[in-house]
Amino acid sequence: MDRRAFLATAAAAAATATTMKTAAGATVTPFGHTGAPITNADPLPLGPLPGSRHPDTHIEFLKKPKILFGSTDLPIFSGIGAVERIATGFRWAEGPVYFPAGRYLLFSDIPSNRIMRLSEDDNHLSVFRQPSMNANGNTIDREGRLITCEHSGRRITRTELDGSITIIADKYNSKKLNSPNEVVVSSDGSIWFTDPAYGISAYSGGSKAEPEQETRNVYRVDPKSGEVRIVADDFVQPNGIAFSPDEKKLYIVDSGFSDNPDNPCQIRVFDIDVGAGKLLNGKVFAEMPKPNVSDGVRCDTAGRVWCSVGWGDPSEDGVRCYMPDGDLIGKVHIPETVANLCFGGQQRNRLYICGTTSIYALDTNVQGAMKP
């Protein structure tokens, strides 16, 4: 027997045994926080909200039509438009995204560590994924694949068409991301996401940990190289994110007020060069009325900006709609804090709204700008 070969083999075996012993004794972080099942025997009732009539008083037109069913800047037909509760029984509903191919809505229930699926055809509710790594924001790319922000995973993932999961981003400069929150995909395939610290600030939202990034950033993932790069680093808590219909502007929520009353509570807008991955000429688009905070944001095809509102004055809980110039034109009042929203339905005109424990829906007269 070759003595050198024997010694090399023995050393390798010893190293493997040491590695296995170390791995066997290692302590790993659980796959996020999973809350106990909700046992409330009296869930909120589904259907039109109690006390609703047409025109629905939950819809507030700040510019009144000249005639009863006349048009206003807020694209909701006041005669038959009404807010409905279509699903309930969650701890914190977030991150809605509509899949037109399957006619279903996916959304996160963050503390329960699951992604839920609500079928449009018969309103059947089921668990899509659990554990979800305390998933928060979700979106869909142009190939119909789910893109997810994972709090406890501290990463962005893509669910492939065969069901496998690909990690898109989990580090920047070899350091872990904070807790990716919201994500959008541009027409060129680049992925843009926000990375506040909410998911690592408490166990209920993910896995409590110290941030490794010095700032709370907005990132872009290059569609060809996969390079992760910072595009904005001056937010306190970057949150919701949305492209304008022509992808020439990018709207980003700063919900830093949640940490300190002196922090911003606003939506900012930037000119954007999608291909180059650059944000320019940033300015405040809209200030939220403190102590209310916005979270999710979406645009429709006419460039109006729809955003969630909550955490403050109950009379402001719901959705706000702004013209492209920042003029507030209407509100949709929801009986819970609203974290997020998206457009869906076969014609992309149905507005899905994530309240705290429930999902609400409202038909509009406009289509969501996000593709598909």
Side-chain angles (χ1 to χ4, degrees), residues 8 33 38 80 174 223 227 249 275 321 328 357 366:
H33 173 85
I38 297 175
I80 60 174
S174 301
E227 177 191 13
K249 295 185 181 299
C321 182
L328 178 63
T357 67
V366 74

Side-chain angles (χ1 to χ4, degrees), residues 17-153:
T18 300
T19 300
M20 291 178 65
K21 183 178 180 181
T22 302
T27 299
V28 296
T29 302
F31 294 130
H33 173 85
T34 301
I38 297 175
T39 57
N40 183 4
D42 297 311
L44 294 173
L46 302 183
L49 298 182
S52 292
R53 64 180 295 275
H54 297 292
D56 190 350
T57 56
H58 294 94
I59 304 168
E60 181 180 353
F61 298 86
L62 297 185
K63 295 186 177 181
K64 305 295 183 183
K66 294 181 179 179
I67 57 176
L68 182 58
F69 297 141
S71 62
T72 68
D73 291 333
L74 183 66
I76 300 173
F77 181 48
S78 61
I80 60 174
V83 180
E84 306 168 71
R85 186 184 291 115
I86 59 175
T88 191
F90 317 110
R91 280 196 162 79
W92 191 264
E94 251 279 19
V97 58
Y98 182 81
F99 280 75
R103 292 187 60 196
Y104 58 81
L105 180 79
L106 293 184
F107 59 94
S108 300
D109 184 1
I110 300 176
S112 299
N113 201 5
R114 59 185 181 172
I115 297 176
M116 305 299 294
R117 174 175 50 206
L118 184 65
S119 297
E120 184 183 47
D121 52 359
D122 64 356
N123 215 46
H124 176 70
L125 179 69
S126 61
V127 176
F128 175 78
R129 177 178 298 161
Q130 189 175 30
S132 66
M133 307 295 276
N134 296 109
N136 187 340
N138 298 284
T139 194
I140 183 173
D141 69 10
R142 299 302 174 95
E143 296 181 45
R145 299 172 297 186
L146 173 67
I147 310 294
T148 300
C149 298
E150 297 179 355
H151 273 183
S152 57

Side-chain angles (χ1 to χ4, degrees), residues 98-258:
Y98 182 81
F99 280 75
R103 292 187 60 196
Y104 58 81
L105 180 79
L106 293 184
F107 59 94
S108 300
D109 184 1
I110 300 176
S112 299
N113 201 5
R114 59 185 181 172
I115 297 176
M116 305 299 294
R117 174 175 50 206
L118 184 65
S119 297
E120 184 183 47
D121 52 359
D122 64 356
N123 215 46
H124 176 70
L125 179 69
S126 61
V127 176
F128 175 78
R129 177 178 298 161
Q130 189 175 30
S132 66
M133 307 295 276
N134 296 109
N136 187 340
N138 298 284
T139 194
I140 183 173
D141 69 10
R142 299 302 174 95
E143 296 181 45
R145 299 172 297 186
L146 173 67
I147 310 294
T148 300
C149 298
E150 297 179 355
H151 273 183
S152 57
R154 301 174 73 169
R155 64 188 187 179
I156 299 290
T157 63
R158 180 176 64 227
T159 302
E160 307 295 349
L161 298 180
D162 64 1
S164 61
I165 295 176
T166 300
I167 299 174
I168 300 300
D170 62 353
K171 292 181 176 67
Y172 177 73
N173 278 349
S174 301
K175 296 180 180 180
K176 289 183 180 180
L177 299 173
N178 293 323
S179 55
N181 193 285
E182 295 291 340
V183 58
V184 288
V185 181
S186 68
S187 57
D188 71 350
S190 58
I191 297 172
W192 303 65
F193 68 94
T194 60
D195 188 38
Y198 292 127
I200 58 173
S201 62
Y203 291 111
S204 60
S207 296
K208 191 173 182 180
E210 290 297 319
E212 296 185 16
Q213 300 296 326
E214 295 181 2
T215 51
R216 296 164 185 178
N217 307 315
V218 181
Y219 295 91
R220 175 186 182 270
V221 182
D222 187 86
K224 295 181 180 179
S225 68
E227 177 191 13
V228 180
R229 189 162 58 84
I230 292 176
V231 294
D233 62 1
D234 61 342
F235 283 80
V236 178
Q237 290 281 21
N239 207 319
I241 184 171
F243 291 113
S244 63
D246 57 8
E247 292 189 351
K248 292 184 178 180
K249 295 185 181 299
L250 184 68
Y251 297 91
I252 306 174
V253 174
D254 193 336
S255 54
F257 176 75
S258 62

